[in-house]
Amino acid sequence: MGMMKTEDSLGEKEIIAAAEKALADIALVREEVSKVIFGQENVVENTLLAVLSGGHALLVGVPGLAKTKLVTTLGEVLGLGANRIQFTPDLMPSDILGSEVMDQDENGRRSFRFVKGPVFAQLLMADEINRASPRTQSALLQSMQEYHVTIAGQRYDLPTPFHVLATQNPLEQEGTYPLPEAQLDRFLLQVDVHYPELAAERQILLETTGISETKPQAVLDAGRLMEIQKLIRQMPVSDKVVDAILDLVRSARPGQGNAATDKNVAWGPGPRAGQAMMLCARARALYEGRLAPSLDDIHALAEPVLEHRMALTFAARAEGMSVRDVIAGLVKQAKG
């Protein structure tokens, strides 16, 4: 039975026309971000892919690598209302979600009024998320999953679109609460932020220590971003690419017949990894100026999609292996 065309879905010609317009818009976004963030092309790309795909991203890197600056820049370029929360061990759930305060009118009548917390933003920067206590982490992660908060039995919907870009410092483990695996899985991508290349670092020194700094301009607005997100979900994906996604995700699970995985992986990615790959591969095609995802997209996305969704055995860790090494091996096998 063929796919029925709903009122919302587009025909092939309309999808191609809409995709070509989206290509132009995304190219403008890339250009605008590059005026402020130097180098780090991979980081910018993966963070933008998470947002274009309608998801959240976890940025992992040592302090001072412009993670916060990237998020504020994206907020400005995409025309989204942005808030920032600096996580600390004493932060409470109400500090994020908001709380009820008591008001008294001129007649002395008292009533409760809900004061919204910083989570009510379209783009939320959650800085050093692993510094907060589990209660506070779960309050944020629940709102990421459900797109609403419940306070005193009353439901409050979050703005649309709603994206969380969280940062985590991989070095400091003292006084931190690592995110549980089930909560890590809620991030569409993990984006590793490395030190800049020499040329980019030279540019940073020259451009950011003068009197004036370049300010990015808004290229999109929330409505247009949501149109592109909807289009990405309607882009066709070939059977070859779908099979490649399934093969790669399944090969990362122990007990599925991959000898290297059986030896080194304690637990592997669930179906959310495949869903993330399907969405991000389409977004990456548009980002790279193409109308359909290819096998290259799958190989490029393997690390950001899988890295936070699998864990190594004790023996593999003792040998000094990393999850990245295992993923690189799986991609090499997939390329044949």
Side-chain angles (χ1 to χ4, degrees), residues 180-328:
E181 292 74 16
Q183 297 188 347
L184 283 171
D185 196 25
R186 293 177 190 192
F187 288 98
L188 200 65
L189 297 180
Q190 175 174 319
V191 184
D192 288 335
V193 187
H194 303 292
Y195 291 111
E197 301 285 330
L198 176 61
E201 193 158 5
R202 177 187 294 274
Q203 201 178 356
I204 291 167
L205 292 184
L206 296 173
E207 297 271 351
T208 60
T209 58
I211 291 168
S212 62
E213 282 192 44
T214 311
K215 285 267 183 275
Q217 300 297 310
V219 172
L220 303 185
D221 59 22
R224 178 63 184 136
L225 175 61
M226 287 166 74
E227 281 174 16
I228 294 173
Q229 289 171 344
K230 190 173 173 187
L231 167 73
I232 283 168
R233 286 180 168 270
Q234 293 177 305
M235 285 172 68
V237 181
S238 70
D239 286 348
K240 189 171 76 169
V241 171
V242 174
D243 290 342
I245 291 172
L246 287 166
D247 289 346
L248 182 65
V249 170
R250 293 174 73 82
S251 73
R253 296 173 189 159
Q256 296 289 324
N258 186 300
T261 299
D262 288 348
K263 180 169 175 271
N264 298 315
V265 178
W267 52 268
R272 267 198 202 137
Q275 294 169 327
M277 196 86 82
M278 277 286 279
L279 286 170
C280 292
R282 294 152 161 165
R284 188 175 188 271
L286 285 182
Y287 190 87
E288 302 269 338
R290 290 176 278 111
L291 296 178
S294 68
L295 296 180
D296 282 349
D297 295 318
I298 307 310
H299 301 148
L301 288 164
E303 193 176 293
V305 167
L306 298 178
E307 191 181 353
H308 57 302
R309 291 186 164 101
M310 52 196 293
L312 300 185
T313 59
F314 178 77
R317 292 202 308 275
E319 283 174 24
M321 285 190 81
S322 71
V323 171
R324 286 200 289 276
D325 298 331
V326 171
I327 295 169

Side-chain angles (χ1 to χ4, degrees), residues 50-65:
V51 174
L52 291 170
S53 303
H56 314 289
L58 181 65
L59 285 77
V60 178
V62 299
L65 298 183

Side-chain angles (χ1 to χ4, degrees), residues 86-229:
Q86 180 70 47
F87 279 72
T88 58
D90 58 352
L91 200 73
M92 298 299 285
S94 58
D95 296 330
I96 293 177
L97 306 179
S99 55
E100 290 202 310
V101 296
M102 188 177 278
D103 279 345
Q104 191 166 334
D105 64 15
E106 60 273 14
N107 303 320
R109 272 201 303 258
R110 292 175 179 180
S111 59
F112 283 106
R113 176 170 58 91
F114 177 60
V115 179
K116 290 179 174 178
V119 76
F120 286 85
Q122 292 169 321
L123 187 68
L124 181 68
M125 169 96 189
D127 234 335
E128 303 224 37
I129 190 174
N130 54 333
R131 288 215 169 282
S133 67
R135 271 183 72 190
T136 305
Q137 285 178 5
S138 67
L140 174 68
L141 290 152
Q142 187 177 1
S143 50
M144 283 167 53
Q145 192 71 6
E146 298 176 6
Y147 298 96
H148 68 261
V149 305
T150 306
I151 306 287
Q154 183 73 37
R155 172 184 164 139
Y156 300 94
D157 288 330
L158 291 168
T160 51
F162 174 66
H163 300 283
V164 173
L165 299 178
T167 72
Q168 193 168 299
N169 176 353
L171 298 183
E172 293 203 21
Q173 295 311 324
E174 212 171 297
T176 62
Y177 303 84
L179 290 174
E181 292 74 16
Q183 297 188 347
L184 283 171
D185 196 25
R186 293 177 190 192
F187 288 98
L188 200 65
L189 297 180
Q190 175 174 319
V191 184
D192 288 335
V193 187
H194 303 292
Y195 291 111
E197 301 285 330
L198 176 61
E201 193 158 5
R202 177 187 294 274
Q203 201 178 356
I204 291 167
L205 292 184
L206 296 173
E207 297 271 351
T208 60
T209 58
I211 291 168
S212 62
E213 282 192 44
T214 311
K215 285 267 183 275
Q217 300 297 310
V219 172
L220 303 185
D221 59 22
R224 178 63 184 136
L225 175 61
M226 287 166 74
E227 281 174 16
I228 294 173
Q229 289 171 344

